[in-house]
Structures are given as structure tokens and as C-alpha cells.
Amino acid sequence: MLGHTPSFLESGKQDEQFYQNLWSTLHEKGNWRGELWNRKKSGEIYAELLSISLIRDAQGRVLHHVGVFTDITNFKNHERELERIAHYDPLTGLPNRVLLADRMQQTLALSSRSQRLLVVGYLDLDGFKQINDSLGHEIGDQVLIEMAQRMKNLLREGDTVARLGGDEFVLLLTGYREAQESLATLQRLLSQLALPVTLNDTPPVTLSASLGITVYPLDPSDPDTLLRHADQAMYSAKQSGKNQIQIYDPEMDALLRQQQEFRKRFQHALENEELFLLYQPKVDLSGGQLLGVEALIRWNHPERGVLSPQEFLPYISQTHLDSQVGEWVIAQAFTQLCQWQAQGREIPISINISPHHLERPNFIHHLTNQVLAHSRIPPHLLNLEILETLSLDNIQEVGEIIHSCRDLGIGVALDDFGTGYSSLAYLRQLPVSELKIDQSFVRDMVSSATDRAIIQSILSLASAFDCQTVAEGIENPSQYRLLLELGCQAGQGYHVAYPMKADELIHWKPSFFSQTDK
């Protein structure tokens, strides 16, 4: 180092102003202490904690500069790693919730100063759960990494994409004069995410994304509310068919708030025994014998009276309450079977299972626990009814669940059959024991040759696969007689019997024969 000035070891990481401040402090106070990056003789850059003191003579002239330093490179690297862990998602390397909150504060301030728009987007991948469940979490992680990289590549340098967790991401797009300007970029983003993902040793996988956005200051909310509004818009995109962009609508926000209040009220109903079951008989159409009942849920609302399922189930669909109600119905059905068994009666009960409930990972586990807890009840007395359209969307998963139910001794019926356009190939993969003919075909079968032909086709299909058939919605003698002529085995509807309480069912006797003969 002899013959060189200290600038020989400058790292280039500190600017001119830094060194001016250093020398100014040193000469004013006689010492300086701080952190800086320097360069070794080998050219390697390192971090040091440096203390510099001046040595003066009697007249105050500077004789020497004495510096003592400690290499803190490892400490700084560790500090940087902690910073990364605290602010970045470990899987994708994207900003996490903590850093996102800071970025939102910065971009909101920038938007206010520059009078430009900030677009806040909430993005959720469509179909990621199926990929994760079928191909495994390792493949799922690789897909997330690829999706994150595509978003980073497409967005501008000043924009932010953060991962909240799972398959949920937040976008912050700044500097727009008009909200419409951002839509072209966001549409390109969705197009990029919809391209197949090619991974090692795995066939290409394809998924899409649903994106909800809100625009500040057109939506003059705080950061948390902006995220909530974008999330609501994303949910609307999901409900509208997925793979699209939806913009936050205040009217939609008001509706969602009403739904949230309704769900709180329904949770209270579930916890305070305001729900109850009615039972609608299913009978042998040729002989009138009672074959079983379908359990139908009702809500005894303190102010509004008894509510039908159409008045509350749609508002809890796809929520945690959906599966809670399903578990409650299963438990109530077993309780009722026990009561009837104590009275010397064995009456099979059919219960409706929602798609959300059926697809939960612990569905079979909970069902098995109920069967074991009621070991004196023959499992075949419980029958599950699932929507045909559900089975078409998730044929493999639903097939496995049905097999598990059948292994427990529980029967499974396809409800509303004929509305999902099932093929023979699909039905062959689903070991169901019963097909329920949708009431939309029964309603007009007397006057519609098309509906009669559909019912005849369903009856033939059921016979080929050794399934029972049950016609829903029989409301008059003409429908009953025609179903009987077509060879339908069983049915239910207001012409047969209205839904009734369990104690009424014990004393019920079919009277539709006499009504039909008149």
C-alpha cells in the first residue's frame, strides 16, 4: 500500500458525499467511527467496522491517522439474510406481507404526490389445488415458482408483485393516468399465466388465474381496505367463470357485507339449535311401500319463521359453514336412525352433500368416525346424494370418494341426474347405487316428448349399470301414472308426500294410490 492514497482501497459502494462527511467529522471531532465497504489488495470487497483517530503535535498539526477496523462481512451477510427472510417469500423470492405493507404505503404516497393512479390487484391461481393434490406439493411448488417468475418478467421495474401465501398474489401497478391503461398489461399477464408449465419428468400442466383490481384514489381507502376490495373483485372473477379480470364495485361490496352479516347470523343458528330436518318419503311406485326418506334441512328463524334451504344455503356456499352444516346433517341423520331403531323401525335416510363439503380432505375421515360411533346402525341405512355436475368436474377424485363410501357400506346416489350430460364412460367410473331423475324432466314429461325420451334413456342407463332410479318432483297423478308405465321404480314429490317431521313419518301411510285412481 506504500505510495498509494486511501482511495486505492475504495469499494465504490460509498459515494463522494459519504467520504466528504467522513473527513469533515474526523477533522472537526478528531475521530470517526462507522461501517463501510472497502477493498482488499486482492480486489475482494469486504465490510468493516472502522474507527479513525487523528494524532496531532503540540501545535495541533495532524501527524498521523490511526485506524482500527474489524471485518464484519460475515455479520453483514447474516444481517442481509435475516432481512431477506423477514421481507421475502422463501419459495418464490417475492415480497411477503411485511414488505408488501411497506410498499403499499410508499406507492400510496407516490400516487398522491404525482396525482397518478395506483392499481391494486389480488390474484388467485385457478386449478392449483388439483395440481397440488394430484401431482404433489413438490410439483406444486415448482409451478408457483414459475408463475411468480412470469409475473416478475412482465411487470415494470417500479411495480410490485407479492405472495401472500398459497396461490394468492398481490400486484401494485403505479404511474397510470387512466385505469384502462393497466388492463392491457393485466390481460397479457393472465395470458402468460395460462400458458402450459413444463416441468422435469412431468407432463405439461395448465392453469389460469382470476384477478380482481381496485384503483386508488378512485377508491380512496386505506391499504387494508384496498386489499379487501381487490380480494372481493377477485372472488367475483372466480364466480363469473375464472381466468378473467373484475374491477371492484361498491355495490358488490355492500352485498358482500350483507352476506357476511348473514353468515354470522347463520353461525348463531347452527350453534343454537335453530336448524332442523324434515323427511320426505321415497316410495315404490308400483306397490306404495316406503323405501326411505330424504332429509331436508329447514331453519326456524326467530323473526322470519321457517326458511327453506333456498333461502339460506346459497349464502353459505363455498364457505366453512357449508361443510359445518353437512357434518351437522350427517350427525342428525345418525341420531334419527338410532331413535327409529329404538322404536323397531329401519328407515333409510338420504342426505345431500354439497361439493364443497365432499371435496374436503377430511370428509371420509369424519364420515368413518360417525359410522364407528353408531356401530349398531347398519351403514346401508345412510345414503349420500351428490350432484351429477360435481362428478363430471372431478371424475377421478369423486370416484375415489364414492369407492370409500361404498367400502363403509354407505350408498351413493347421483342427484339431479340428466342435467350434467353424463357419458357412459363417466358413469362407468362412478360406482353409484342410485340415479335420481331431475324434477325438471318430470315436470313437463306429460306434454313434452323430449322429456319423456330423456327419462326413458335414464331408465335404460340405470338398468344397464344395475342402479335404482328415483324420480323427483312428482306433483300430480298424470306424472305418477306415466312414470309407472315407463318402468320407473321409485319416486318422491308432493303427490306422494310432503316433507314431514320424524314423529309424523312413523304414522304416515301412502294415500297417493287413492288420489291417482280418482
Side-chain angles (χ1 to χ4, degrees), residues 395-456:
I395 186 71
Q396 182 177 354
E397 181 180 354
V398 172
E400 293 173 356
I401 293 173
I402 293 175
H403 275 291
S404 297
C405 292
R406 297 296 297 270
D407 290 342
L408 289 172
I410 294 172
V412 178
L414 279 186
D415 199 8
D416 298 342
F417 192 78
T419 59
Y421 308 102
S422 289
S423 69
L424 291 174
Y426 282 138
L427 194 55
R428 189 167 59 243
Q429 297 181 57
L430 301 174
V432 296
S433 53
E434 184 180 288
L435 303 181
K436 299 197 74 174
I437 303 172
D438 186 63
Q439 59 183 334
S440 63
F441 303 123
V442 175
R443 184 185 303 116
D444 298 321
M445 64 179 295
V446 176
S447 58
S448 171
T450 300
D451 286 344
R452 286 198 299 275
I454 291 174
I455 291 175
Q456 284 180 310

Short mmCIF file of all heavy atoms in Angstrom, two decimals, residues 395-456:
data_model
loop_
_atom_site.label_atom_id
_atom_site.label_comp_id
_atom_site.label_asym_id
_atom_site.label_seq_id
_atom_site.Cartn_x
_atom_site.Cartn_y
_atom_site.Cartn_z
N ILE A 395 -63.94 -36.13 -11.85
CA ILE A 395 -64.33 -37.53 -12.01
C ILE A 395 -63.45 -38.48 -11.20
O ILE A 395 -63.95 -39.38 -10.53
CB ILE A 395 -64.33 -37.91 -13.51
CG1 ILE A 395 -64.86 -39.32 -13.72
CG2 ILE A 395 -62.95 -37.73 -14.13
CD1 ILE A 395 -66.33 -39.45 -13.48
N GLN A 396 -62.13 -38.28 -11.21
CA GLN A 396 -61.24 -39.20 -10.51
C GLN A 396 -61.38 -39.08 -9.00
O GLN A 396 -61.53 -40.08 -8.29
CB GLN A 396 -59.78 -38.95 -10.93
CG GLN A 396 -58.80 -39.91 -10.27
CD GLN A 396 -57.38 -39.69 -10.77
OE1 GLN A 396 -57.14 -38.90 -11.68
NE2 GLN A 396 -56.42 -40.38 -10.16
N GLU A 397 -61.34 -37.84 -8.52
CA GLU A 397 -61.44 -37.61 -7.08
C GLU A 397 -62.77 -38.09 -6.53
O GLU A 397 -62.83 -38.76 -5.49
CB GLU A 397 -61.24 -36.12 -6.78
CG GLU A 397 -61.31 -35.78 -5.30
CD GLU A 397 -61.12 -34.30 -5.05
OE1 GLU A 397 -60.83 -33.56 -6.01
OE2 GLU A 397 -61.26 -33.87 -3.89
N VAL A 398 -63.87 -37.75 -7.23
CA VAL A 398 -65.20 -38.16 -6.77
C VAL A 398 -65.33 -39.67 -6.81
O VAL A 398 -65.93 -40.29 -5.92
CB VAL A 398 -66.29 -37.48 -7.62
CG1 VAL A 398 -67.66 -38.04 -7.28
CG2 VAL A 398 -66.28 -35.98 -7.39
N GLY A 399 -64.77 -40.30 -7.85
CA GLY A 399 -64.82 -41.76 -7.94
C GLY A 399 -64.16 -42.43 -6.74
O GLY A 399 -64.68 -43.40 -6.18
N GLU A 400 -63.02 -41.88 -6.31
CA GLU A 400 -62.32 -42.43 -5.14
C GLU A 400 -63.14 -42.25 -3.87
O GLU A 400 -63.19 -43.15 -3.01
CB GLU A 400 -60.95 -41.76 -5.00
CG GLU A 400 -59.99 -42.10 -6.13
CD GLU A 400 -58.70 -41.28 -6.07
OE1 GLU A 400 -58.62 -40.40 -5.17
OE2 GLU A 400 -57.80 -41.52 -6.89
N ILE A 401 -63.79 -41.09 -3.74
CA ILE A 401 -64.61 -40.84 -2.55
C ILE A 401 -65.80 -41.80 -2.51
O ILE A 401 -66.14 -42.36 -1.46
CB ILE A 401 -65.09 -39.37 -2.53
CG1 ILE A 401 -63.90 -38.43 -2.33
CG2 ILE A 401 -66.12 -39.15 -1.43
CD1 ILE A 401 -64.25 -36.96 -2.47
N ILE A 402 -66.44 -42.01 -3.67
CA ILE A 402 -67.58 -42.92 -3.73
C ILE A 402 -67.15 -44.34 -3.37
O ILE A 402 -67.84 -45.05 -2.63
CB ILE A 402 -68.23 -42.89 -5.13
CG1 ILE A 402 -68.87 -41.52 -5.38
CG2 ILE A 402 -69.27 -43.99 -5.27
CD1 ILE A 402 -69.43 -41.35 -6.77
N HIS A 403 -65.99 -44.75 -3.87
CA HIS A 403 -65.48 -46.09 -3.51
C HIS A 403 -65.29 -46.20 -2.00
O HIS A 403 -65.62 -47.23 -1.39
CB HIS A 403 -64.15 -46.36 -4.23
CG HIS A 403 -64.31 -46.91 -5.61
ND1 HIS A 403 -64.78 -48.19 -5.86
CD2 HIS A 403 -64.06 -46.35 -6.82
CE1 HIS A 403 -64.80 -48.40 -7.16
NE2 HIS A 403 -64.38 -47.30 -7.77
N SER A 404 -64.75 -45.14 -1.38
CA SER A 404 -64.54 -45.17 0.06
C SER A 404 -65.87 -45.26 0.81
O SER A 404 -65.98 -45.98 1.82
CB SER A 404 -63.78 -43.91 0.50
OG SER A 404 -62.49 -43.86 -0.08
N CYS A 405 -66.89 -44.54 0.32
CA CYS A 405 -68.21 -44.62 0.95
C CYS A 405 -68.79 -46.02 0.82
O CYS A 405 -69.35 -46.57 1.79
CB CYS A 405 -69.16 -43.59 0.31
SG CYS A 405 -68.76 -41.87 0.64
N ARG A 406 -68.68 -46.58 -0.36
CA ARG A 406 -69.20 -47.94 -0.57
C ARG A 406 -68.47 -48.95 0.31
O ARG A 406 -69.07 -49.92 0.80
CB ARG A 406 -69.08 -48.34 -2.05
CG ARG A 406 -69.90 -47.47 -3.01
CD ARG A 406 -71.39 -47.59 -2.77
NE ARG A 406 -71.89 -48.92 -3.01
CZ ARG A 406 -72.34 -49.35 -4.20
NH1 ARG A 406 -72.34 -48.52 -5.24
NH2 ARG A 406 -72.79 -50.57 -4.34
N ASP A 407 -67.16 -48.73 0.52
CA ASP A 407 -66.39 -49.63 1.41
C ASP A 407 -66.92 -49.56 2.84
O ASP A 407 -66.85 -50.55 3.59
CB ASP A 407 -64.90 -49.26 1.39
CG ASP A 407 -64.24 -49.60 0.05
OD1 ASP A 407 -64.81 -50.41 -0.70
OD2 ASP A 407 -63.16 -49.04 -0.23
N LEU A 408 -67.45 -48.39 3.21
CA LEU A 408 -68.05 -48.25 4.55
C LEU A 408 -69.44 -48.86 4.62
O LEU A 408 -70.01 -48.99 5.71
CB LEU A 408 -68.14 -46.76 4.92
CG LEU A 408 -66.83 -46.03 5.23
CD1 LEU A 408 -67.08 -44.54 5.38
CD2 LEU A 408 -66.19 -46.59 6.50
N GLY A 409 -70.00 -49.22 3.46
CA GLY A 409 -71.35 -49.76 3.42
C GLY A 409 -72.41 -48.72 3.13
O GLY A 409 -73.61 -49.00 3.19
N ILE A 410 -71.98 -47.49 2.81
CA ILE A 410 -72.91 -46.38 2.57
C ILE A 410 -73.15 -46.24 1.07
O ILE A 410 -72.21 -46.23 0.27
CB ILE A 410 -72.33 -45.06 3.13
CG1 ILE A 410 -72.24 -45.16 4.66
CG2 ILE A 410 -73.16 -43.85 2.72
CD1 ILE A 410 -71.52 -44.00 5.31
N GLY A 411 -74.42 -46.13 0.69
CA GLY A 411 -74.76 -45.97 -0.71
C GLY A 411 -74.59 -44.53 -1.18
O GLY A 411 -74.61 -43.60 -0.38
N VAL A 412 -74.43 -44.35 -2.48
CA VAL A 412 -74.27 -43.02 -3.07
C VAL A 412 -75.18 -42.90 -4.28
O VAL A 412 -75.22 -43.79 -5.13
CB VAL A 412 -72.80 -42.76 -3.48
CG1 VAL A 412 -72.67 -41.39 -4.13
CG2 VAL A 412 -71.88 -42.88 -2.28
N ALA A 413 -75.90 -41.80 -4.35
CA ALA A 413 -76.80 -41.52 -5.47
C ALA A 413 -76.31 -40.28 -6.21
O ALA A 413 -75.76 -39.36 -5.61
CB ALA A 413 -78.22 -41.29 -4.96
N LEU A 414 -76.53 -40.28 -7.54
CA LEU A 414 -76.28 -39.08 -8.33
C LEU A 414 -77.57 -38.29 -8.39
O LEU A 414 -78.58 -38.74 -8.94
CB LEU A 414 -75.83 -39.45 -9.74
CG LEU A 414 -74.36 -39.81 -9.94
CD1 LEU A 414 -74.06 -39.99 -11.42
CD2 LEU A 414 -73.44 -38.74 -9.36
N ASP A 415 -77.54 -37.09 -7.79
CA ASP A 415 -78.73 -36.25 -7.72
C ASP A 415 -78.87 -35.41 -8.99
O ASP A 415 -77.88 -35.13 -9.67
CB ASP A 415 -78.62 -35.33 -6.50
CG ASP A 415 -79.96 -34.76 -6.07
OD1 ASP A 415 -80.99 -35.20 -6.62
OD2 ASP A 415 -79.98 -33.90 -5.18
N ASP A 416 -80.11 -35.00 -9.30
CA ASP A 416 -80.40 -34.17 -10.48
C ASP A 416 -79.82 -34.80 -11.74
O ASP A 416 -79.29 -34.10 -12.61
CB ASP A 416 -79.83 -32.76 -10.30
CG ASP A 416 -80.45 -32.03 -9.12
OD1 ASP A 416 -81.53 -32.46 -8.69
OD2 ASP A 416 -79.87 -31.04 -8.65
N PHE A 417 -79.94 -36.12 -11.86
CA PHE A 417 -79.31 -36.81 -12.98
C PHE A 417 -79.96 -36.38 -14.30
O PHE A 417 -81.17 -36.24 -14.40
CB PHE A 417 -79.41 -38.33 -12.84
CG PHE A 417 -78.55 -39.08 -13.82
CD1 PHE A 417 -77.20 -39.19 -13.59
CD2 PHE A 417 -79.10 -39.63 -14.98
CE1 PHE A 417 -76.38 -39.86 -14.50
CE2 PHE A 417 -78.29 -40.29 -15.87
CZ PHE A 417 -76.93 -40.40 -15.64
N GLY A 418 -79.12 -36.21 -15.31
CA GLY A 418 -79.59 -35.79 -16.62
C GLY A 418 -79.27 -34.35 -16.93
O GLY A 418 -79.32 -33.92 -18.08
N THR A 419 -78.92 -33.56 -15.89
CA THR A 419 -78.63 -32.13 -16.11
C THR A 419 -77.17 -31.89 -16.43
O THR A 419 -76.79 -30.79 -16.83
CB THR A 419 -79.00 -31.31 -14.87
OG1 THR A 419 -78.25 -31.79 -13.74
CG2 THR A 419 -80.48 -31.44 -14.57
N GLY A 420 -76.32 -32.91 -16.23
CA GLY A 420 -74.88 -32.71 -16.45
C GLY A 420 -74.37 -33.39 -17.69
O GLY A 420 -73.18 -33.36 -17.97
N TYR A 421 -75.25 -34.00 -18.48
CA TYR A 421 -74.86 -34.64 -19.73
C TYR A 421 -73.77 -35.69 -19.52
O TYR A 421 -72.74 -35.68 -20.18
CB TYR A 421 -74.40 -33.60 -20.76
CG TYR A 421 -75.40 -32.50 -20.95
CD1 TYR A 421 -75.23 -31.26 -20.35
CD2 TYR A 421 -76.57 -32.71 -21.69
CE1 TYR A 421 -76.17 -30.24 -20.50
CE2 TYR A 421 -77.51 -31.69 -21.85
CZ TYR A 421 -77.30 -30.47 -21.26
OH TYR A 421 -78.23 -29.48 -21.41
N SER A 422 -74.00 -36.58 -18.58
CA SER A 422 -73.02 -37.63 -18.31
C SER A 422 -72.89 -38.55 -19.51
O SER A 422 -73.85 -38.81 -20.24
CB SER A 422 -73.46 -38.47 -17.10
OG SER A 422 -73.33 -37.73 -15.93
N SER A 423 -71.70 -39.05 -19.69
CA SER A 423 -71.47 -40.05 -20.72
C SER A 423 -71.37 -41.42 -20.06
O SER A 423 -71.20 -41.53 -18.85
CB SER A 423 -70.17 -39.75 -21.48
OG SER A 423 -69.05 -39.96 -20.65
N LEU A 424 -71.45 -42.44 -20.88
CA LEU A 424 -71.32 -43.80 -20.36
C LEU A 424 -69.95 -43.99 -19.71
O LEU A 424 -69.82 -44.67 -18.69
CB LEU A 424 -71.51 -44.81 -21.49
CG LEU A 424 -72.93 -44.91 -22.08
CD1 LEU A 424 -72.93 -45.83 -23.28
CD2 LEU A 424 -73.90 -45.42 -21.03
N ALA A 425 -68.94 -43.38 -20.30
CA ALA A 425 -67.59 -43.53 -19.75
C ALA A 425 -67.52 -42.96 -18.34
O ALA A 425 -66.91 -43.55 -17.45
CB ALA A 425 -66.58 -42.81 -20.65
N TYR A 426 -68.16 -41.81 -18.10
CA TYR A 426 -68.16 -41.22 -16.76
C TYR A 426 -68.89 -42.11 -15.78
O TYR A 426 -68.42 -42.39 -14.68
CB TYR A 426 -68.83 -39.84 -16.79
CG TYR A 426 -67.96 -38.74 -17.34
CD1 TYR A 426 -68.48 -37.79 -18.21
CD2 TYR A 426 -66.62 -38.64 -16.99
CE1 TYR A 426 -67.69 -36.77 -18.71
CE2 TYR A 426 -65.83 -37.64 -17.49
CZ TYR A 426 -66.36 -36.71 -18.35
OH TYR A 426 -65.58 -35.71 -18.85
N LEU A 427 -70.08 -42.56 -16.18
CA LEU A 427 -70.90 -43.34 -15.25
C LEU A 427 -70.22 -44.65 -14.88
O LEU A 427 -70.37 -45.16 -13.77
CB LEU A 427 -72.28 -43.61 -15.88
CG LEU A 427 -73.36 -44.11 -14.93
CD1 LEU A 427 -73.54 -43.17 -13.75
CD2 LEU A 427 -74.67 -44.28 -15.67
N ARG A 428 -69.44 -45.20 -15.82
CA ARG A 428 -68.74 -46.45 -15.55
C ARG A 428 -67.69 -46.27 -14.45
O ARG A 428 -67.36 -47.21 -13.74
CB ARG A 428 -68.09 -46.95 -16.83
CG ARG A 428 -67.51 -48.36 -16.71
CD ARG A 428 -67.15 -48.96 -18.05
NE ARG A 428 -66.18 -48.14 -18.77
CZ ARG A 428 -66.42 -47.55 -19.92
NH1 ARG A 428 -67.61 -47.66 -20.50
NH2 ARG A 428 -65.49 -46.83 -20.51
N GLN A 429 -67.18 -45.06 -14.30
CA GLN A 429 -66.15 -44.81 -13.29
C GLN A 429 -66.72 -44.47 -11.92
O GLN A 429 -65.97 -44.36 -10.96
CB GLN A 429 -65.25 -43.66 -13.75
CG GLN A 429 -64.48 -43.94 -15.02
CD GLN A 429 -63.59 -42.76 -15.42
OE1 GLN A 429 -62.76 -42.31 -14.65
NE2 GLN A 429 -63.79 -42.24 -16.62
N LEU A 430 -68.04 -44.28 -11.85
CA LEU A 430 -68.66 -43.88 -10.59
C LEU A 430 -69.55 -45.01 -10.08
O LEU A 430 -70.63 -45.24 -10.61
CB LEU A 430 -69.49 -42.60 -10.79
CG LEU A 430 -68.73 -41.39 -11.31
CD1 LEU A 430 -69.69 -40.25 -11.60
CD2 LEU A 430 -67.66 -40.95 -10.32
N PRO A 431 -69.13 -45.71 -9.04
CA PRO A 431 -69.89 -46.87 -8.54
C PRO A 431 -71.11 -46.45 -7.71
O PRO A 431 -71.23 -46.80 -6.54
CB PRO A 431 -68.85 -47.60 -7.69
CG PRO A 431 -67.97 -46.52 -7.17
CD PRO A 431 -67.89 -45.49 -8.26
N VAL A 432 -72.02 -45.69 -8.31
CA VAL A 432 -73.19 -45.23 -7.59
C VAL A 432 -74.25 -46.34 -7.57
O VAL A 432 -74.28 -47.22 -8.42
CB VAL A 432 -73.77 -43.95 -8.22
CG1 VAL A 432 -72.78 -42.82 -8.12
CG2 VAL A 432 -74.18 -44.19 -9.67
N SER A 433 -75.13 -46.27 -6.58
CA SER A 433 -76.18 -47.28 -6.43
C SER A 433 -77.54 -46.76 -6.87
O SER A 433 -78.49 -47.53 -6.97
CB SER A 433 -76.25 -47.73 -4.97
OG SER A 433 -76.38 -46.62 -4.11
N GLU A 434 -77.62 -45.45 -7.15
CA GLU A 434 -78.94 -44.86 -7.44
C GLU A 434 -78.78 -43.63 -8.33
O GLU A 434 -77.85 -42.84 -8.17
CB GLU A 434 -79.61 -44.48 -6.12
CG GLU A 434 -81.02 -43.95 -6.24
CD GLU A 434 -81.59 -43.61 -4.87
OE1 GLU A 434 -81.89 -44.57 -4.11
OE2 GLU A 434 -81.70 -42.41 -4.55
N LEU A 435 -79.72 -43.47 -9.28
CA LEU A 435 -79.81 -42.27 -10.10
C LEU A 435 -81.13 -41.58 -9.80
O LEU A 435 -82.19 -42.21 -9.84
CB LEU A 435 -79.75 -42.61 -11.60
CG LEU A 435 -78.53 -43.39 -12.11
CD1 LEU A 435 -78.64 -43.60 -13.62
CD2 LEU A 435 -77.23 -42.66 -11.77
N LYS A 436 -81.05 -40.28 -9.49
CA LYS A 436 -82.26 -39.52 -9.21
C LYS A 436 -82.59 -38.66 -10.43
O LYS A 436 -81.80 -37.78 -10.80
CB LYS A 436 -82.08 -38.65 -7.96
CG LYS A 436 -81.80 -39.46 -6.69
CD LYS A 436 -82.04 -38.65 -5.44
CE LYS A 436 -83.50 -38.45 -5.17
NZ LYS A 436 -83.77 -37.78 -3.88
N ILE A 437 -83.73 -38.93 -11.03
CA ILE A 437 -84.14 -38.20 -12.23
C ILE A 437 -84.57 -36.80 -11.84
O ILE A 437 -85.47 -36.61 -11.02
CB ILE A 437 -85.30 -38.93 -12.94
CG1 ILE A 437 -84.88 -40.37 -13.28
CG2 ILE A 437 -85.72 -38.19 -14.20
CD1 ILE A 437 -86.02 -41.23 -13.81
N ASP A 438 -83.93 -35.80 -12.44
CA ASP A 438 -84.18 -34.42 -12.05
C ASP A 438 -85.63 -34.02 -12.30
O ASP A 438 -86.23 -34.39 -13.31
CB ASP A 438 -83.25 -33.49 -12.82
CG ASP A 438 -83.35 -32.05 -12.35
OD1 ASP A 438 -83.03 -31.80 -11.17
OD2 ASP A 438 -83.79 -31.20 -13.14
N GLN A 439 -86.18 -33.24 -11.37
CA GLN A 439 -87.58 -32.85 -11.45
C GLN A 439 -87.89 -31.99 -12.67
O GLN A 439 -89.04 -31.90 -13.09
CB GLN A 439 -87.99 -32.12 -10.18
CG GLN A 439 -87.19 -30.86 -9.90
CD GLN A 439 -87.61 -30.22 -8.59
OE1 GLN A 439 -88.75 -30.39 -8.13
NE2 GLN A 439 -86.70 -29.48 -7.98
N SER A 440 -86.88 -31.35 -13.27
CA SER A 440 -87.12 -30.54 -14.46
C SER A 440 -87.61 -31.40 -15.62
O SER A 440 -88.37 -30.92 -16.47
CB SER A 440 -85.85 -29.79 -14.86
OG SER A 440 -84.81 -30.70 -15.20
N PHE A 441 -87.21 -32.67 -15.66
CA PHE A 441 -87.70 -33.58 -16.70
C PHE A 441 -89.08 -34.12 -16.35
O PHE A 441 -89.92 -34.34 -17.22
CB PHE A 441 -86.72 -34.74 -16.91
CG PHE A 441 -85.33 -34.28 -17.26
CD1 PHE A 441 -84.25 -34.67 -16.48
CD2 PHE A 441 -85.09 -33.46 -18.34
CE1 PHE A 441 -82.97 -34.25 -16.78
CE2 PHE A 441 -83.81 -33.03 -18.67
CZ PHE A 441 -82.75 -33.43 -17.88
N VAL A 442 -89.31 -34.36 -15.06
CA VAL A 442 -90.60 -34.89 -14.61
C VAL A 442 -91.70 -33.85 -14.78
O VAL A 442 -92.83 -34.18 -15.15
CB VAL A 442 -90.50 -35.34 -13.13
CG1 VAL A 442 -91.85 -35.79 -12.61
CG2 VAL A 442 -89.46 -36.46 -12.99
N ARG A 443 -91.37 -32.59 -14.57
CA ARG A 443 -92.37 -31.53 -14.56
C ARG A 443 -93.17 -31.49 -15.86
O ARG A 443 -94.41 -31.35 -15.85
CB ARG A 443 -91.68 -30.18 -14.33
CG ARG A 443 -92.64 -29.01 -14.22
CD ARG A 443 -91.91 -27.69 -14.11
NE ARG A 443 -90.98 -27.70 -12.98
CZ ARG A 443 -89.66 -27.59 -13.08
NH1 ARG A 443 -89.10 -27.48 -14.29
NH2 ARG A 443 -88.90 -27.60 -12.01
N ASP A 444 -92.51 -31.59 -17.01
CA ASP A 444 -93.19 -31.44 -18.30
C ASP A 444 -93.26 -32.74 -19.08
O ASP A 444 -93.53 -32.73 -20.29
CB ASP A 444 -92.46 -30.37 -19.13
CG ASP A 444 -92.48 -29.01 -18.47
OD1 ASP A 444 -93.51 -28.66 -17.87
OD2 ASP A 444 -91.44 -28.31 -18.54
N MET A 445 -93.03 -33.87 -18.43
CA MET A 445 -92.95 -35.12 -19.17
C MET A 445 -94.27 -35.51 -19.83
O MET A 445 -94.28 -36.17 -20.88
CB MET A 445 -92.48 -36.24 -18.23
CG MET A 445 -93.44 -36.56 -17.11
SD MET A 445 -92.86 -37.92 -16.05
CE MET A 445 -92.88 -39.28 -17.19
N VAL A 446 -95.38 -35.10 -19.26
CA VAL A 446 -96.68 -35.46 -19.83
C VAL A 446 -96.89 -34.79 -21.17
O VAL A 446 -97.42 -35.39 -22.12
CB VAL A 446 -97.82 -35.10 -18.86
CG1 VAL A 446 -99.18 -35.39 -19.49
CG2 VAL A 446 -97.67 -35.88 -17.56
N SER A 447 -96.44 -33.55 -21.29
CA SER A 447 -96.65 -32.79 -22.53
C SER A 447 -95.42 -32.73 -23.43
O SER A 447 -95.54 -32.34 -24.60
CB SER A 447 -97.07 -31.35 -22.19
OG SER A 447 -96.08 -30.72 -21.39
N SER A 448 -94.27 -33.10 -22.94
CA SER A 448 -93.03 -32.98 -23.71
C SER A 448 -92.48 -34.35 -24.08
O SER A 448 -92.06 -35.12 -23.21
CB SER A 448 -91.98 -32.20 -22.91
OG SER A 448 -90.72 -32.25 -23.55
N ALA A 449 -92.48 -34.64 -25.39
CA ALA A 449 -91.92 -35.91 -25.86
C ALA A 449 -90.42 -35.98 -25.60
O ALA A 449 -89.87 -37.06 -25.36
CB ALA A 449 -92.21 -36.07 -27.36
N THR A 450 -89.77 -34.81 -25.64
CA THR A 450 -88.32 -34.77 -25.39
C THR A 450 -88.00 -35.19 -23.97
O THR A 450 -87.09 -36.00 -23.74
CB THR A 450 -87.78 -33.34 -25.65
OG1 THR A 450 -88.03 -32.98 -27.00
CG2 THR A 450 -86.28 -33.29 -25.39
N ASP A 451 -88.75 -34.65 -22.99
CA ASP A 451 -88.50 -35.01 -21.60
C ASP A 451 -88.81 -36.48 -21.35
O ASP A 451 -88.11 -37.15 -20.58
CB ASP A 451 -89.33 -34.13 -20.66
CG ASP A 451 -88.78 -32.71 -20.56
OD1 ASP A 451 -87.61 -32.51 -20.95
OD2 ASP A 451 -89.50 -31.81 -20.11
N ARG A 452 -89.84 -36.99 -21.99
CA ARG A 452 -90.15 -38.43 -21.84
C ARG A 452 -89.00 -39.27 -22.38
O ARG A 452 -88.62 -40.29 -21.79
CB ARG A 452 -91.45 -38.78 -22.56
CG ARG A 452 -92.69 -38.29 -21.88
CD ARG A 452 -93.93 -39.03 -22.38
NE ARG A 452 -94.14 -38.85 -23.81
CZ ARG A 452 -94.78 -37.83 -24.36
NH1 ARG A 452 -95.27 -36.87 -23.58
NH2 ARG A 452 -94.93 -37.74 -25.66
N ALA A 453 -88.46 -38.85 -23.53
CA ALA A 453 -87.36 -39.61 -24.13
C ALA A 453 -86.12 -39.57 -23.23
O ALA A 453 -85.40 -40.58 -23.10
CB ALA A 453 -87.02 -39.03 -25.51
N ILE A 454 -85.88 -38.43 -22.59
CA ILE A 454 -84.74 -38.32 -21.67
C ILE A 454 -84.93 -39.25 -20.49
O ILE A 454 -83.99 -39.96 -20.08
CB ILE A 454 -84.57 -36.86 -21.20
CG1 ILE A 454 -84.11 -35.97 -22.35
CG2 ILE A 454 -83.57 -36.78 -20.04
CD1 ILE A 454 -84.06 -34.49 -22.01
N ILE A 455 -86.14 -39.29 -19.95
CA ILE A 455 -86.41 -40.17 -18.80
C ILE A 455 -86.25 -41.63 -19.20
O ILE A 455 -85.67 -42.43 -18.45
CB ILE A 455 -87.81 -39.89 -18.23
CG1 ILE A 455 -87.83 -38.50 -17.57
CG2 ILE A 455 -88.21 -40.95 -17.21
CD1 ILE A 455 -89.19 -38.07 -17.08
N GLN A 456 -86.74 -41.98 -20.37
CA GLN A 456 -86.58 -43.36 -20.85
C GLN A 456 -85.10 -43.72 -20.99
O GLN A 456 -84.68 -44.84 -20.65
CB GLN A 456 -87.29 -43.53 -22.19
CG GLN A 456 -88.81 -43.63 -22.08
CD GLN A 456 -89.47 -43.79 -23.43
OE1 GLN A 456 -89.20 -43.04 -24.36
NE2 GLN A 456 -90.36 -44.77 -23.55
#
